[in-house]
Amino acid sequence: MRFLGTRRTPRPAAAILGVPYDGTQSYRRGAAQGPEAIRAASWSLETYSPEWKRDLQAHLTVADLGDLSVAGLDPSAMVEAVARAVASLDANTAPVLLGGDHTLTLGAVRALAARHPDLMVVQLDAHADLREAYEGNRLSHACVMRRVWEAVGDRRIVQLGIRSGTPEEFAFARAHCRWSLGALIVPDTVRHELQQAPVYLTLDLDVLDPAFVPGVGNPEPGGPSFQELCGALRNLGRLRVVGLDVVELAPPMDPSGVSAVVAAKLLRELLLQFFTAG
């Protein structure tokens, strides 16, 4: 099944790749089922966004390339598979990854940082994910942004929505991230910097309050509503996004299917915000 409104075409503006992997999830597994659930839920939506007054089919060329074969791989091999897949895309085609657990972000960022040395990363997430290691593992969804920092360098990560982490993670964020706060709105100075650089955007669905998305691996109370998150994304403006992901949907944790619909709608809005002209 393809994501809503997508079709195979040479050199699309964006290419969707599913990464059905949950090998580093630490609480509730199930993110491996995320890509399939997002695609299925997308067909309950319209291709047209009233917010952006744009239509996926009329205003954007998106190809859905299916899922990467990552079942049974160790985290390192999965990250390498993602990096190879992203690097293989045409330079004018932005990778759009469907998770899968958050560790997959590292593969995409490594590939894009090689192409864009000035890459900046915007992380929307409830968790800092800046641990040096988690339960002895340096490749984990709890450590992914620490590994991303190693890939992009100091002061290149903007963290939004963060409301959970260790004291060491918060200290590291203050010292090494460009911006890190529980709020979703960035200052004008930070937004201006983002507008001058290529950007990778990673959206962990647990940034939302569990009342809106219960189907995630690590729900964290106290988050924003769907509308508040959409408002924050609009506030970022028209960034030059060269890749993005939507991660950590765990469909078994939400039998209602609402979480998958939320993920699919967010993805539609992101595609129309960042990959269409005007």
Side-chain angles (χ1 to χ4, degrees):
M1 178 178 290
R2 295 177 293 108
F3 185 81
L4 175 71
T6 59
R7 55 195 182 277
R8 284 188 174 270
T9 182
R11 297 185 178 181
I16 293 172
L17 284 167
V19 187
Y21 189 83
D22 59 11
T24 80
Q25 280 193 296
S26 58
Y27 179 35
R28 308 194 302 182
R29 293 286 180 98
Q33 300 175 40
E36 180 183 4
I38 293 172
R39 289 185 176 104
S42 74
W43 289 95
S44 72
L45 304 173
E46 306 292 344
T47 57
Y48 178 74
S49 166
E51 176 63 37
W52 291 106
K53 296 180 176 58
R54 299 174 190 145
D55 189 284
L56 279 179
Q57 292 181 318
H59 297 101
L60 179 63
T61 304
V62 186
D64 190 335
L65 304 184
D67 289 348
L68 297 181
S69 181
V70 292
L73 297 182
D74 64 37
S76 179
M78 181 275 291
V79 167
E80 287 301 316
V82 171
R84 286 194 302 271
V86 170
S88 72
L89 295 175
D90 184 87
N92 295 315
T93 297
V96 175
L97 304 183
L98 305 183
D101 74 43
H102 208 164
T103 309
L104 66 88
T105 299
L106 177 60
V109 168
R110 282 179 175 171
L112 290 172
R115 185 177 292 170
H116 304 282
D118 55 343
L119 185 71
M120 293 191 71
V121 178
V122 175
Q123 174 195 5
L124 296 118
D125 201 327
H127 306 92
D129 293 344
L130 286 169
R131 296 173 188 242
E132 173 57 32
Y134 182 75
E135 296 183 342
N137 298 315
R138 297 181 77 250
L139 278 179
S140 165
H141 71 162
C143 312
V144 63
M145 298 311 294
R146 185 67 165 260
R147 305 287 84 82
V148 164
W149 169 78
E150 293 170 353
V152 300
D154 222 31
R155 311 284 289 175
R156 309 295 300 176
I157 298 173
V158 174
Q159 295 187 307
L160 304 174
I162 308 300
R163 56 189 185 274
S164 179
T166 66
E168 292 77 15
E169 287 178 279
F170 283 110
F172 187 92
R174 288 192 295 271
H176 299 288
C177 293
R178 176 61 187 89
W179 184 260
S180 181
L181 205 65
L184 292 173
I185 304 299
V186 297
D188 289 343
T189 52
V190 176
R191 186 167 63 251
H192 178 74
E193 289 178 38
L194 290 170
Q195 290 169 344
Q196 307 308 308
V199 171
Y200 186 87
L201 189 147
T202 177
L203 197 165
D204 185 328
L205 290 163
D206 68 27
V207 70
L208 288 162
D209 193 272
F212 300 93
V213 180
V216 294
N218 289 78
E220 185 69 37
S225 68
F226 178 85
Q227 284 300 108
E228 288 168 337
L229 176 59
C230 288
L233 289 166
R234 287 194 299 273
N235 185 65
L236 289 174
R238 294 300 298 263
L239 305 179
R240 181 159 65 98
V241 172
V242 297
L244 65 82
D245 61 54
V246 178
V247 298
E248 295 283 340
L249 176 68
M253 300 299 107
D254 182 9
S256 75
V258 169
S259 298
V261 175
V262 169
K265 185 167 183 177
L266 282 169
L267 181 55
R268 184 192 71 185
E269 300 301 285
L270 289 168
L271 290 170
L272 291 171
Q273 177 172 355
F274 294 119
F275 303 124
T276 56

